[in-house]
Amino acid sequence: MIAIIDYGAGNMKSLQFALNRKGMECCVTTEKKQILNSTAMILPGVGAFQDAMTTLKQKDLINTIKDETTKGKPLLGICLGMQLFYETSEEDGEWEGFGLLKGKVSRINYTVKVPHIGWNTLHMQRSSSICQNIPNNAFVYYVHSYAVKEYAYNSLVASTAYGGTIPAIVQQDHIIGMQFHPEKSGNVGLQLLANFGEMIS
């Protein structure tokens, strides 16, 4: 069972539907017991960095998620969920994230229209099982105004170009982040979710 952690980020139904289409059992939860008993965790993402961290703190879930990740449980972050993995974000101030990955989240370059909404590519930077059967420059669906700007290069799996290089998929062992929305990205997104499922089967 995959625990989709509910911190008021919305868009849960389409993610549940996409996972179920690939035969992956999941539940939307804020219950520690369900998270502890899960085989993997997903942090979905729509909204503001500060609001997300505040809600997770109020629900007393930050240490639970970090502890389970430290034990080796697979964790997938989607859009804002991926950004929460990092040390800090500059969205409306400076806020502390989970610190699971080294780096900082900053606003997308002012030379392009913000937010970045719509289909853009996945330019593969290194091989990873999360990208199995995904062609280079496949299109996926993005909706975001902030992106990871400082990061460990060896964690970068795929990038996209929008006012500069934006990390699209990052991975450090069993921690995986996707800046785009796989549940809105057609067959490519479904394949990526299925690949995540293979990690935990």
Side-chain angles (χ1 to χ4, degrees):
M1 177 70 73
I2 299 170
I4 302 172
I5 298 166
D6 182 8
Y7 57 94
N11 206 38
M12 303 289 182
K13 290 294 183 185
S14 57
L15 179 57
Q16 278 185 288
F17 180 72
L19 292 168
N20 289 337
R21 278 189 66 183
K22 302 308 292 186
M24 299 157 70
E25 283 189 84
C26 60
C27 64
V28 175
T29 186
T30 56
E31 296 295 326
K32 283 187 182 181
K33 186 175 180 181
Q34 284 188 307
I35 294 170
L36 293 172
N37 290 335
S38 68
T39 54
M41 303 173 290
I42 296 180
L43 272 176
V46 176
F49 192 100
Q50 178 195 6
D51 293 344
M53 290 301 295
T54 298
T55 301
L56 287 165
K57 188 174 182 179
Q58 289 172 345
K59 294 181 181 295
D60 195 26
L61 293 178
I62 291 176
N63 286 336
T64 300
I65 295 165
K66 289 174 75 171
D67 289 347
E68 289 300 287
T69 304
T70 300
K71 292 174 186 176
K73 183 172 290 186
L75 174 64
L76 172 63
I78 295 173
C79 197
L80 173 62
M82 166 180 151
Q83 295 177 10
L84 297 177
F85 291 170
Y86 288 85
E87 294 166 303
T88 57
S89 172
E90 297 179 335
E91 184 177 355
D92 299 323
E94 182 152 333
W95 308 102
E96 187 176 325
F98 277 80
L100 295 169
L101 301 178
K102 291 187 178 297
K104 178 186 285 189
V105 176
S106 303
R107 193 182 188 279
I108 293 173
N109 195 305
Y110 283 92
T111 61
V112 291
K113 185 179 179 181
V114 177
H116 174 205
I117 300 178
W119 297 87
N120 208 340
T121 54
L122 286 177
H123 180 64
M124 301 302 172
Q125 300 288 344
R126 67 176 173 90
S127 61
S128 168
S129 59
I130 196 64
C131 292
Q132 185 176 349
N133 298 318
I134 302 296
N136 190 31
N137 293 320
F139 280 84
V140 290
Y141 191 79
Y142 295 83
V143 184
H144 62 120
S145 299
Y146 287 77
V148 179
K149 294 292 183 70
E150 297 177 18
Y151 53 93
Y153 186 75
N154 62 5
S155 69
L156 185 63
V157 174
S159 63
T160 196
Y162 196 75
T165 299
I166 290 177
I169 300 177
V170 295
Q171 180 176 10
Q172 184 173 293
D173 300 321
H174 54 284
I175 302 170
I176 294 170
M178 299 180 186
Q179 179 59 73
F180 53 92
H181 288 272
E183 74 279 7
K184 295 182 178 180
S185 298
N187 289 333
V188 171
L190 289 174
Q191 182 62 55
L192 287 163
L193 291 174
N195 291 345
F196 179 67
E198 287 294 319
M199 290 179 59
I200 61 182
S201 59

